[in-house]
Amino acid sequence: AVAEAQRRGYRVRPLIGPSSILLSLMASGFNGQTWAFAGYLPHDTDSRGRALKEMQRRIERERQTQIFIETPYRNNKLIAELCQRLSPHAAVRGIRRDRPERIDTDASTLGLGQGKLQLR
């Protein structure tokens, strides 16, 4: 229902509550039936690359929404790595903590502010 409302141009805003992760999933329009929260990705470049590769595998094979968070001071490095490692067709959605609107893009045009990133 959320994805359809978004396709029709309605603005969907998550409610404020105890779990911003669950609320961001609800507001995203991504698959809410099967999803995983990875928390913070590894700091080490090789380990983070393996984690992103595994996330993309699960997205493609299982249609599982992947959610992770990152600190604002590491966002630029993460965004560069997402652009480099993800399929150009990977859908990325960011939800800022300070503003509830979505930021949609694909990996080829990625440019997000601070907050959560979701991969579909």
Side-chain angles (χ1 to χ4, degrees), residues 85-106:
R85 292 183 183 267
L86 292 181
S87 159
H89 303 292
V92 178
R93 184 162 292 162
I95 300 178
R96 292 176 56 122
R97 286 179 288 176
D98 59 340
R99 294 195 323 241
E101 68 269 12
R102 296 180 354 224
I103 304 166
D104 292 324
T105 189
D106 59 40

Side-chain angles (χ1 to χ4, degrees), residues 77-94:
K77 182 178 178 182
L78 175 64
I79 290 167
E81 193 161 351
L82 290 173
C83 291
Q84 179 185 26
R85 292 183 183 267
L86 292 181
S87 159
H89 303 292
V92 178
R93 184 162 292 162

Side-chain angles (χ1 to χ4, degrees), residues 5-41:
Q6 291 168 341
R7 275 193 289 279
R8 292 181 183 202
Y10 291 99
R11 183 175 178 175
V12 177
R13 296 183 65 165
L15 302 173
I16 296 172
S19 175
S20 63
I21 294 151
L22 186 55
L23 293 171
S24 66
L25 174 64
M26 291 166 47
S28 72
F30 285 161
N31 182 1
Q33 297 300 309
T34 177
W35 59 278
F37 176 65
Y40 289 97
L41 298 179

